[in-house]
Amino acid sequence: MNTNTNPQTSTALMRDGSGAMFDRIAARYDLLNRLMSLGLDARWRNRLVRCLSDAADKAVAAGQRLEFLDVATGTADVALAIARAYPGAHVIGLDPSREMLAVGKKKVGERGLDEHVELVEGDAQALPFEDGRFAATSISFGIRNVPNRLLGLKEMARVTRRGGLVVVLELNEPERGPLAPLAKLHVHHIVPRLGAWLSGAKEYRYLQTSIAAFPSPETFAGMMEAVGLHVEGMTSLGFGSAHLYVARA
Ligand SMILES: C[S@@+](CC[C@H](N)C(=O)[O-])C[C@H]1O[C@@H](n2cnc3c(N)ncnc32)[C@H](O)[C@@H]1O
């Protein structure tokens, strides 16, 4: 039973990390991302995209249709980067936030990629695709927001072709290394303040709390293994404040 009688608090709780929460910040999401990550986010996404080349080569060699799925695609940066890197590929970006997708659709149109990038509304926990459809699936800065992460990973593994790749880019609490305290300071104090100041929304405080609550890289890699994926690589980025996980389906 929900005993929370404060409508403001219960709404906030319901929306934390959800598509509805992202609807409210969609218009400024791209700018905020660039500022908060000091421009590193774009570099990290490109790194994710380069990791997919093995899956792309395999699909082409086997004469299979080259299709990628980007889960929690938001404003479609990864979907667009995949389409640019692998000409001829069909990329589906999925997200529950209509407003994030609307920003993404505009970008797809502006770059003349409508025929290659399709954006659909949906939930990572119930992907509306058949088993083994995609050469590779990706999720960047999104798995943290999925309420049942194991189910989200299981779904990504299910829709990925056997031998294909599941690639996850995600922030985490920076714990190790000489610059970890600096990265921690950035995540805990600068990011939420900058976010709240620039967006006028309290939602960016959620970023800090959700990063702190995210499992350690080793535990998260274990979750990927638990759904039947084989983790082949785990790369620390941004002084340990993010990791890129590459797993074989
Ligand atoms: C921080 S944004 C990341 C967007 C994009 N992938 C990027 O790299 O910028 C997180 C995204 O997760 C989406 N999201 C929230 N809950 C989700 C769910 N259950 N399934 C899929 N995506 C979800 C949000 O709507 C939002 O667009």
Side-chain angles (χ1 to χ4, degrees):
M1 192 177 74
N2 182 4
T3 52
N4 190 338
T5 49
N6 177 341
Q8 248 185 337
T9 318
S10 61
T11 306
L13 283 174
M14 253 168 31
R15 288 182 169 180
D16 271 5
S18 69
M21 187 194 99
F22 281 94
D23 275 343
R24 298 208 297 272
I25 56 173
R28 292 185 183 155
Y29 176 80
D30 285 347
L31 172 68
L32 285 162
N33 245 350
R34 293 305 100 81
L35 292 175
M36 286 185 201
S37 74
L38 312 170
L40 286 173
D41 63 310
R43 268 212 247 168
W44 295 345
R45 285 193 195 86
N46 287 333
R47 204 160 164 165
L48 178 161
V49 171
R50 286 199 298 275
C51 285
L52 305 177
S53 65
D54 170 82
D57 292 346
K58 274 206 172 109
V60 172
Q64 291 157 335
R65 187 168 187 226
L66 187 52
E67 280 198 296
F68 294 99
L69 172 67
D70 183 46
V71 180
T73 199
T75 59
D77 276 353
V78 168
L80 284 164
I82 295 174
R84 277 195 300 262
Y86 305 99
H90 180 233
V91 189
I92 299 182
L94 173 138
D95 199 285
S97 164
R98 275 190 201 171
E99 297 303 324
M100 293 287 273
L101 290 178
V103 175
K105 276 182 186 152
K106 191 160 172 269
K107 284 156 63 175
V108 171
E110 284 165 0
R111 286 156 183 76
L113 286 167
D114 299 87
E115 282 187 20
H116 297 283
V117 180
E118 187 186 342
L119 299 182
V120 299
E121 244 180 276
D123 188 326
Q125 299 158 116
L127 294 174
F129 308 109
E130 70 270 23
D131 296 0
R133 170 167 170 176
F134 298 97
T137 55
S138 57
I139 183 163
S140 82
F141 310 123
I143 194 71
R144 215 179 51 242
N145 303 292
V146 177
N148 187 337
R149 292 182 194 129
L150 264 184
L151 185 53
L153 289 172
K154 199 171 167 190
E155 278 290 89
M156 289 178 74
R158 178 185 67 76
V159 301
T160 306
R161 201 172 289 152
R162 205 173 164 76
L165 293 174
V166 173
V167 182
V168 179
L169 173 60
E170 192 49 272
L171 300 166
N172 54 264
E173 184 83 357
E175 297 289 2
R176 279 170 245 151
L179 291 172
L182 207 63
K184 253 186 175 167
L185 180 84
H186 182 72
V187 168
H188 286 284
H189 299 284
I190 299 173
V191 164
R193 282 182 179 80
L194 194 63
W197 177 54
L198 282 169
S199 69
K202 291 191 191 109
E203 281 78 0
Y204 272 88
R205 292 215 172 271
Y206 163 77
L207 185 62
Q208 175 210 332
T209 48
S210 66
I211 293 170
F214 195 71
S216 70
E218 292 73 20
T219 304
F220 183 71
M223 288 169 71
M224 294 183 86
E225 295 272 352
V227 300
L229 293 164
H230 174 58
V231 178
E232 293 186 344
M234 196 170 91
T235 311
S236 167
L237 303 165
F239 312 119
S241 58
H243 278 76
L244 181 62
Y245 307 83
V246 180
R248 187 78 55 186

